[in-house]
Amino acid sequence: QEQTANAELARFADELARSIAREDAEAAASAEREEQRQLDEMDARWRARDAAVKAVLAADAAESERQKLAAEEAARAAKRAEEEKKRADEAAAAAKKAADEAKAKKEREDAEAKAKKEREDAAAEAARRVEEERRTGVVTGQRLPSGSVPKIQVAAEASKQEGELAKLLAEARAKVAEYSTAPAAKRERRVINNNITVHVQQIAATRQQIEKKAVDIAQFLNGFQAGSIQRTFATISLAKRVLTQCDSQVSKLNRFAFALAEVSVRVAVFDATFGQVLIALLHEACVLAVPKYYPFVQGRYASDDEYFKLMGYVAAEEQPNDLPEGAPPKLETTDNFCRRIQGFMLFYAAYTQCDNPRHPHGINHAWAWASRLVNRVPPNRFSATALESFMKHAGFALWSAYGAQFGKILDVVDREFLPTLEAKDDADSRPVVSRMRTYLNERGFLKAPEGREMPNTDTSSNTRL
């Protein structure tokens, strides 16, 4: 038994020794492999770094060569430019010498004529200034304090709206520009304009006729494809024709403004573009419909006529026989200009107060206009004419809609606007001031204006124009 145990012990010791030897061999092999892996990784990193260094060196060399070539080309270009500049300077010097000689000669020839003209112009300017001050109530010769230049009088919101509508109108005009002058479309344009003229001239102050003409005009516009050039041309022509009626009819027969406005609102409900174009053209024809006012500043405009045209003056219907050929036409008188303001504002007031639930430019616009005018536009004959005309037709609707709030605007007119104008003691402004005072004193805004209520059918030949 002892021998067997010893043998077993020897066998176990031998196996243990072999196991330890195997483990040591495997550990050594593993360590060798790990060492080799680390050496391989280190070698790869060195190879990559060496490649990167070589790439950087190559790039630096290429950049140096490029910069060298660029510098050489720049030097050559600079030399060429210098040579060209030298030649150009020589040519410019020669040209300047010739121009200076010609200028000196011209100046000598013009000096005496200029001095004579200045003396004549000074005398004519003095006479013209006296006449313009009498016509407009604006002192053209008054010198402004240093740094004081009056700005255009307009509310920011009104100016924004005016700009948006003007942009829309400009786009519409650009769209039909070629069509409006194309010989091939001349006959079609004439047919469109003739139809519009007939429809507008047939508008009468009866509910029946208003409904009929609104439908006729809407159907006429609907005969053109929406968005077509012909539709746009017809829309602009219709708006122009309506505003022509303000000048030719409304200013003479004030109550006709309501019939014209009722038809216009119905068409604007049918075609929103017509309503926008109509108001944009109204702003062009009458800046006080914005409301906006351009203060007169001596020297700001090329001529006084330029200022008056900006305000809305147009050429007089009758021109002097001795007007020189090529000379600009003589402008209308201020009396005639104020009559046209009256026609436009009577129509605009009637338009804004039309009772239509889908009205795109209703009584809220009338409120905004009245508030902006009395708060932003200076009192003068022009603004007073616009205000008196507007209140005549819209005051009743404004009082009905806003009550005491509208009364506050009337208080400003009574206590500030009219007294400021009266203090100027302008004879030409007295009639409109008197009319406005009568309107306030007699509380004219409590009575519906003449023409607002229309019969269903014709009751008199006087209801049709």
Side-chain angles (χ1 to χ4, degrees):
Q1 293 180 350
E2 181 179 355
Q3 289 179 348
T4 302
N6 289 336
E8 183 66 24
L9 182 62
R11 185 182 59 76
F12 176 76
D14 184 55
E15 289 179 356
L16 179 63
R18 285 197 300 272
S19 176
I20 292 172
R22 284 196 302 274
E23 289 177 356
D24 288 344
E26 290 175 358
S30 177
E32 184 178 355
R33 288 194 299 275
E34 177 62 23
E35 181 179 3
Q36 185 61 42
R37 184 187 65 75
Q38 292 178 357
L39 289 174
D40 291 343
E41 288 182 353
M42 184 180 297
D43 185 59
R45 286 196 300 271
W46 279 105
R47 284 196 301 272
R49 186 178 302 173
D50 184 59
V53 170
K54 289 181 180 180
V56 170
L57 292 176
D60 288 345
E63 178 63 19
S64 296
E65 181 64 19
R66 187 193 65 75
Q67 292 179 356
K68 178 182 176 182
L69 294 175
E72 292 175 352
E73 179 59 28
R76 289 192 294 270
K79 184 176 180 180
R80 289 194 300 270
E82 184 178 355
E83 292 173 350
E84 292 175 358
K85 183 178 181 301
K86 182 178 179 181
R87 289 193 294 270
D89 289 345
E90 291 173 351
K96 184 177 184 301
K97 181 179 179 181
D100 289 344
E101 291 174 353
K103 180 180 178 182
K105 181 180 178 181
K106 184 71 167 57
E107 288 176 350
R108 286 193 301 270
E109 293 174 348
D110 292 347
E112 187 173 337
K114 181 179 178 182
K116 179 180 179 182
K117 185 177 185 301
E118 287 176 349
R119 291 192 296 271
E120 294 174 348
D121 288 348
E125 173 65 16
R128 182 204 57 75
R129 186 176 301 156
V130 171
E131 173 61 17
E132 294 300 340
E133 289 173 3
R134 185 198 69 76
R135 283 203 313 137
T136 67
V138 178
V139 182
T140 59
Q142 182 178 1
R143 294 186 63 83
L144 296 170
S146 177
S148 174
V149 178
K151 297 181 180 179
I152 297 174
Q153 304 298 306
V154 62
E157 298 84 356
S159 181
K160 178 182 178 182
Q161 181 194 50
E162 179 195 20
E164 292 171 350
L165 292 174
K167 180 181 178 183
L168 182 145
L169 177 59
E171 292 172 351
R173 282 172 168 163
K175 184 175 182 178
V176 302
E178 184 176 351
Y179 175 80
S180 299
T181 57
K186 184 176 180 180
R187 184 177 180 278
E188 186 178 38
R189 295 196 304 270
R190 185 186 301 114
V191 171
I192 292 174
N193 285 327
N194 287 345
N195 274 279
I196 289 172
T197 299
V198 170
H199 285 310
V200 174
Q201 288 181 343
Q202 288 177 347
I203 295 174
T206 68
R207 292 293 172 186
Q208 184 182 66
Q209 188 68 357
I210 285 171
E211 292 293 342
K212 181 180 185 305
K213 294 321 299 178
V215 170
D216 288 346
I217 293 173
Q219 289 178 343
F220 173 71
L221 292 177
N222 203 38
F224 303 102
Q225 183 178 356
S228 67
I229 293 176
Q230 290 83 354
R231 174 74 168 261
T232 303
F233 177 83
T235 300
I236 296 174
S237 298
L238 175 61
K240 286 181 177 178
R241 187 62 192 175
V242 168
L243 294 181
T244 299
Q245 293 295 92
C246 297
D247 187 3
S248 62
Q249 298 292 347
V250 175
S251 60
K252 299 173 184 176
L253 186 63
N254 296 172
R255 66 176 182 271
F256 179 64
F258 289 99
L260 188 64
E262 289 283 356
V263 173
S264 298
V265 168
R266 283 165 169 75
V267 176
V269 168
F270 165 76
D271 185 344
T273 301
F274 166 74
Q276 295 168 328
V277 169
L278 178 65
I279 300 302
L281 286 171
L282 177 62
H283 289 169
E284 277 192 352
C286 180
V287 296
L288 284 164
V290 175
K292 179 170 66 175
Y293 180 75
Y294 297 94
F296 185 91
V297 180
Q298 188 70 29
R300 173 181 284 180
Y301 307 99
S303 66
D304 288 355
D305 278 0
E306 181 185 1
Y307 167 77
F308 291 121
K309 289 178 182 177
L310 198 62
M311 282 299 298
Y313 280 66
V314 298
E317 291 184 3
E318 296 182 2
Q319 295 292 321
N321 295 328
D322 58 349
L323 189 69
E325 184 178 352
K330 182 180 178 181
L331 297 182
E332 65 184 332
T333 65
T334 296
D335 288 343
N336 192 71
F337 175 59
C338 287
R339 279 193 293 272
R340 289 195 308 106
I341 290 178
Q342 183 184 45
F344 287 128
M345 295 313 302
L346 287 169
F347 167 75
Y348 185 49
Y351 184 82
T352 58
Q353 61 87 65
C354 286
D355 187 15
N356 188 311
R358 297 170 60 196
H359 197 332
H361 199 89
I363 194 66
N364 59 314
H365 287 271
W367 168 267
W369 183 91
S371 176
R372 290 164 181 170
L373 183 116
V374 299
N375 285 293
R376 295 306 302 269
V377 178
N380 53 47
R381 184 184 179 188
F382 303 147
S383 57
T385 299
L387 179 63
E388 187 268 335
S389 303
F390 192 83
M391 290 300 181
K392 180 178 179 179
H393 275 181
F396 176 75
L398 284 167
W399 177 262
S400 300
Y402 296 99
Q405 291 298 316
F406 175 58
K408 294 179 180 180
I409 291 182
L410 297 179
D411 286 341
V412 174
V413 175
D414 181 47
R415 298 174 184 177
E416 299 178 21
F417 188 92
L418 291 179
T420 301
L421 185 53
E422 288 167 335
K424 297 179 180 180
D425 195 27
D426 176 23
D428 292 330
S429 298
R430 289 172 193 159
V432 67
V433 171
S434 176
R435 293 194 300 272
M436 196 69 222
R437 281 290 182 203
T438 300
Y439 179 84
L440 294 175
N441 294 337
E442 296 182 357
R443 301 174 70 80
F445 50 88
L446 297 181
K447 298 175 291 185
E450 182 185 4
R452 187 174 191 269
E453 303 300 329
M454 288 173 275
N456 289 327
T457 58
D458 288 332
T459 58
S460 166
S461 59
N462 292 331
T463 61
R464 183 182 295 276
L465 295 178

